[in-house]
Amino acid sequence: MKAIFLRLLEAVDKECGIRLEAQDSHRSTAATRFKLALHEFASIPGSPFAYWVSSRVRATFLAIPSFESGARTAKRGPSTSDDNRFVRVSWETEHSRSHGLGEWLAFAKGGNYSPFYSDVSLVVDWEARRRTFHGFLGRPGRDTERPESEGFFFRPGLTWPRRTTSGIAFRVMARGCVFSDKGPSAFVADDAPKTLLGLLGVLASRPFAALVEVQLAAADAAARSYEVGIIQRTPVPDLTLADESTLASLARRAWSLKRSLDTRTENSHAFNLPALLQSPTGTLAASAAAWTDRVSATETELAAIQAEIDDRCFDLYGINDEDRKAIAEGFGGTAAAPSDETSIEASDDSEPDESESSAADTAALTAELLSWSVGVAFGRFDVLLATGERPLPPEPEPFDPLPVCSPGMLTGTDGLPLAAPPAGYPIAFPPDGVLVDDPGHPRDLFATARAVFEVVFGNDADARWQEAAGILDPKNHDLRTFLARTFFEQHIKRYSKSRRKAPIYWQLATPSASYSIWLYAHRLTPDTFFHLLNEVVTPKLEHEERKLLSLVQEHGPNPTASQRKASAAQETFVEELRAFRDEVARVAPLWKPDLDDGVLLTMAPLWRLVLQHRAWQKELKTAWDSLCSGDYDWAHLAMHLWPERVVPKCATDRSLAIAHGLEEVFWEEGANGKWTARKTPLTPVSELVAARTSPAVKAALKELLDSPVTGGATKAGRRGKTPVRGSDTG
């Protein structure tokens, strides 16, 4: 006996629709009336109430082997249970580890909807000796310290976001990655690239997605969860060698096309040059149009590849035209094909930004060009790629390990960043990572970025620079003001991912942003702030004080109104510089950066020096308060500033002991493999604290905590005007 089901999703008045259906059964169409036996629901794993699916589609689950059969397997990865501690974005970590216990490894953790290709932007703190996250002792309530599916880490595979608002999206996962619970992954027995790519073709197809969606019939369509078990139970047809070769070729081409668009994203592993330098056609506006045309052509080809994959997979699944149409229409509205590539991965709250859009307007692309120029000015990117003196590197294979540095970075023969300009290099970047916003200064950021344009555009440099100024600052055509007031905010947005904000060019400024120091995070040392104090800020202050004295003497006892205004502006500038110098002096004795702590915590002690950007200052202040209260005692900075608090905790918290290299001092491993606290530490706590305590650091910390916050946005700063400053530096 068969039951009758009515599907009235499109009916505005459901009650009226049911009444009409009951009165006249002949008026129903195949899209609204379905008849099937209840036992047929059991054909689909989980017996979802998918009455609108044809018997032919349901039979697919019985006729075709499931994914988890033969040489295929899908695995869920672990949750770190504390991403703040164990996870970073790839650009904020040191390129070579400082503590020698492990390394930062690529961490596939979901992300935005992006089939075939998506850069892995996160890294996880991995300790090879323990085969676990550095300091990880298991999730709360779990006895095992071994991360889930650890035996499958570092293998090439396919991964997908577990929770997403835009449909399932399988993509390549390179060799050498760790994967998480939010980025489950699929593998084949021999790790063969061709087999994986052929499988990717099937998994990225419309029929496979439809069979997955059928199993989620009762789920909330707004944010579905594509669990490993569902993938394991979904049918995957056996492929002949010819089928595998064809699908692998199509998937490989789709991966290549998607990756080619990512070569413009400066914090991607694929980056080589900004978009405007990949499509140079004269003016910046014309180059932007050329990039847009390239994106359009790429997306057209991707659509054709997807259509061919879908057609071939429909045939492999034996799905006829009627069911193809039903699938294309989403089985009446339940499984519409995803189309928004910037949709947010629900479980991770990723924030789409300019770098995640394949196409962008002229202003966004010009901002990327200026950002790249700043990167060249700091020695991060290689300008010779833009001039053609260094050829673009060949495209890697899809499953090749991700590089430590992107192809666009300035690196040595070891593949790591160069600390100083090589012989004959046309841009003299600072090895200490310090630039300033100070006209006439040899380290002036504006002038160095302008010099990058000279190298890239030659005789057209001035025209391109002026065009960029008009695009980015239409009102005043002033790139110096743009760099001082707008660039850092855009940089934070560009360098934010997966709830982490990790700017690597740091603007420390007076409240009005009339004077700024720019630091490159990867060049910081414990001496950086002593250098700033003695060789940058103090000489600048003395120069401006002399200028103020000269103005007062020049104007005499009866200055005019305009002279009084000029003196007042210079006095305001000097007062800001004095306050700025005092803050630098407070930080210098306690400054000991370690990027393994992450950008936010490393920069937290500097929160009083970013008055020009209130939102970021608030985040830094919050992080600093949390450090002070003991919330981040796993951090190197916490041990540096508060050893008397952190060291004793290591005796009762093995995870903290591991983080600070004190595990064997306070803990011992028994014959059964269990760790217990030592009754007596190998070294007394008092000695450990004393060895880590510096009177100078303690005095500086006390002064920093006791000192009132100086400065504040001046009226000129709030209006967007810059107080008068010197045109040169003495």
Side-chain angles (χ1 to χ4, degrees):
M1 182 176 178
K2 293 187 176 182
I4 296 175
F5 299 87
L6 303 179
R7 186 172 180 81
L8 302 173
L9 293 177
E10 305 301 324
V12 177
D13 187 335
K14 301 294 191 294
E15 181 180 351
C16 180
I18 293 174
R19 186 179 299 112
L20 290 174
E21 289 285 352
Q23 291 173 354
D24 184 6
S25 62
H26 298 292
R27 65 182 300 276
S28 298
T29 67
T32 60
R33 179 177 288 263
F34 302 86
K35 184 183 295 186
L36 72 157
L38 295 182
H39 68 81
E40 293 185 62
F41 288 124
S43 302
I44 301 175
S47 301
F49 201 56
Y51 57 83
W52 56 87
V53 178
S54 73
S55 59
R56 295 179 300 274
V57 171
R58 283 193 293 273
T60 301
F61 286 89
L62 301 175
I64 295 179
S66 63
F67 176 95
E68 191 79 3
S69 61
R72 298 181 297 265
T73 189
K75 294 294 179 181
R76 183 182 70 175
S79 166
T80 68
S81 74
D82 189 353
D83 284 356
N84 268 338
R85 175 174 176 179
F86 296 111
V87 178
R88 304 283 181 268
V89 284
S90 59
W91 56 82
E92 71 177 313
T93 61
E94 295 285 1
H95 294 99
S96 58
R97 290 298 289 261
S98 58
H99 55 60
L101 295 176
E103 57 185 323
W104 294 98
L105 299 181
F107 191 45
K109 188 172 176 282
N112 289 352
Y113 173 80
S114 182
F116 300 108
Y117 167 87
S118 181
D119 188 42
V120 178
S121 60
L122 297 177
V123 291
V124 70
D125 195 0
W126 183 258
E127 188 179 348
R129 179 174 62 87
R130 296 176 180 273
R131 298 190 357 255
T132 185
F133 312 132
H134 182 60
F136 179 77
L137 296 182
R139 297 175 62 184
R142 286 183 54 177
D143 295 333
T144 178
E145 299 178 11
R146 189 71 57 234
E148 185 174 355
S149 301
E150 180 267 336
F152 287 84
F153 291 173
F154 319 128
R155 290 177 56 181
L158 309 175
T159 187
W160 70 94
R162 179 170 59 88
R163 285 182 59 82
T164 174
T165 59
S166 302
I168 196 163
F170 289 88
R171 58 277 200 118
V172 163
M173 182 176 70
R175 188 183 299 275
C177 290
V178 176
F179 58 96
S180 78
D181 60 325
K182 295 178 182 178
S185 301
F187 305 91
V188 297
D190 58 359
D191 294 342
K194 187 174 181 181
T195 304
L196 282 168
L197 288 172
L199 179 60
L200 176 58
V202 175
L203 303 189
S205 71
R206 189 181 292 265
F208 183 86
L211 295 175
V212 169
E213 297 291 344
V214 165
Q215 300 173 74
L216 295 171
D220 179 7
R224 299 191 173 198
S225 187
Y226 298 100
E227 304 291 346
V228 165
I230 292 173
I231 304 305
Q232 291 172 335
R233 295 189 295 267
T234 304
V236 173
D238 293 327
L239 303 180
T240 66
L241 291 178
D243 292 331
E244 179 181 273
S245 180
T246 298
L247 288 172
S249 177
L250 291 168
R252 171 68 169 77
R253 178 58 178 164
W255 174 88
S256 177
L257 289 169
K258 294 287 289 289
R259 183 186 179 278
S260 72
L261 297 181
D262 203 30
T263 58
R264 80 167 238 232
T265 307
E266 67 175 52
N267 50 21
S268 161
H269 289 93
F271 176 73
N272 53 52
L273 286 170
L276 296 185
L277 297 183
Q278 293 195 39
S279 305
T281 57
T283 66
L284 302 182
S287 295
W291 175 261
T292 300
D293 290 342
R294 173 179 166 181
V295 170
S296 179
T298 299
E299 291 177 344
T300 297
E301 186 176 353
L302 282 168
I305 290 172
Q306 185 67 62
E308 185 172 353
I309 286 175
D310 291 343
D311 284 344
R312 289 181 177 275
C313 288
F314 275 127
D315 290 339
L316 290 168
Y317 277 102
I319 296 176
N320 65 19
D321 290 343
E322 182 180 348
D323 286 328
R324 292 188 189 196
K325 181 180 178 183
I327 289 173
E329 294 173 354
F331 286 128
T334 65
S339 59
D340 180 6
E341 293 194 12
T342 63
S343 293
I344 296 173
E345 201 278 314
S347 67
D348 210 29
D349 253 350
S350 301
E351 299 177 7
D353 58 25
E354 293 170 359
S355 67
E356 291 177 342
S357 301
S358 55
D361 60 25
T362 301
L365 295 177
T366 303
E368 290 178 4
L369 175 62
L370 184 63
S371 177
W372 173 81
S373 299
V374 169
V376 173
F378 275 117
R380 182 176 179 220
F381 298 126
D382 190 352
V383 73
L384 299 183
L385 274 178
T387 63
E389 295 173 70
R390 175 189 158 198
L392 290 173
E395 180 182 78
E397 290 301 314
F399 298 100
D400 285 352
L402 296 173
V404 174
C405 298
S406 69
M409 292 180 66
L410 180 63
T411 59
T413 55
D414 58 0
L416 296 177
L418 289 176
Y425 194 70
I427 299 296
F429 61 83
D432 59 7
V434 178
L435 292 170
V436 296
D437 175 18
D438 190 2
H441 196 286
R443 289 174 177 257
D444 183 36
L445 174 63
F446 176 89
T448 309
R450 177 67 174 78
V452 174
F453 270 58
E454 293 282 352
V455 172
V456 173
F457 296 106
N459 294 334
D460 295 328
D462 187 62
R464 299 291 76 77
W465 187 258
Q466 294 303 321
E467 185 184 4
I471 292 170
L472 297 177
D473 183 12
K475 183 178 180 180
N476 300 309
H477 290 226
D478 184 355
L479 281 184
R480 183 177 289 279
T481 298
F482 178 87
L483 285 168
R485 302 190 177 282
T486 305
F487 178 80
F488 185 60
E489 182 174 3
Q490 289 190 357
H491 176 65
I492 291 176
K493 291 179 180 179
R494 185 173 288 115
Y495 281 73
S496 297
K497 190 79 171 180
S498 298
R499 298 182 182 176
R500 292 196 66 84
K501 294 182 178 180
I504 56 173
Y505 312 138
W506 298 354
Q507 183 186 16
L508 311 180
T510 58
S512 64
S514 54
Y515 178 74
S516 299
I517 291 175
W518 290 86
L519 305 178
Y520 180 27
H522 290 282
R523 301 273 170 78
L524 299 175
T525 72
D527 295 328
T528 293
F529 276 80
F530 285 116
H531 166 68
L532 294 180
L533 179 65
N534 297 323
E535 299 182 37
V536 180
V537 181
T538 298
K540 172 66 175 176
L541 174 60
E542 292 172 348
H543 170 74
E544 296 300 335
E545 287 175 332
R546 290 194 299 270
K547 182 176 178 182
L548 175 60
L549 179 61
S550 177
L551 282 175
V552 172
Q553 293 174 342
E554 178 185 333
H555 296 161
N558 298 304
T560 65
S562 62
Q563 289 174 333
R564 287 196 300 272
K565 184 177 180 181
S567 294
Q570 181 65 13
E571 185 175 4
T572 297
F573 186 38
V574 168
E575 288 175 355
E576 286 194 349
L577 283 174
R578 285 173 181 157
F580 186 77
R581 177 207 54 193
D582 292 345
E583 294 293 353
V584 171
R586 289 189 183 99
V587 171
L590 56 80
W591 178 249
K592 188 179 179 182
D594 191 324
L595 284 182
D596 279 351
D597 288 345
V599 164
L600 183 66
L601 294 189
T602 303
M603 198 176 178
L606 311 181
W607 69 270
R608 300 155 67 111
L609 287 164
V610 290
L611 290 167
Q612 86 291 353
H613 195 289
R614 294 294 184 161
W616 181 237
Q617 183 191 43
K618 182 179 179 181
E619 294 196 44
L620 293 178
K621 176 63 164 59
T622 299
W624 175 248
D625 290 343
S626 295
L627 272 164
C628 291
S629 63
D631 292 345
Y632 300 123
D633 278 349
W634 47 262
H636 299 83
L637 181 58
M639 178 65 86
H640 174 59
L641 298 179
W642 298 282
E644 72 283 357
R645 183 184 77 205
V646 177
V647 171
K649 284 186 178 182
C650 294
T652 58
D653 187 332
R654 182 170 153 238
S655 178
L656 287 183
I658 295 171
H660 296 295
L662 295 174
E663 182 184 28
E664 294 185 359
V665 174
F666 289 109
W667 298 80
E668 58 185 344
E669 185 177 13
N672 59 357
K674 298 291 185 179
W675 287 78
T676 57
R678 295 182 184 274
K679 294 181 180 180
T680 303
L682 296 182
T683 305
V685 169
S686 58
E687 290 185 20
L688 294 170
V689 172
R692 290 161 174 77
T693 301
S694 163
V697 169
K698 281 299 179 184
L701 178 61
K702 185 178 187 305
E703 182 181 357
L704 182 66
L705 294 174
D706 292 345
S707 298
V709 180
T710 58
T714 64
K715 291 182 179 179
R718 287 194 294 268
R719 290 196 305 267
K721 298 179 181 179
T722 304
V724 174
R725 57 175 159 180
S727 59
D728 55 26
T729 298

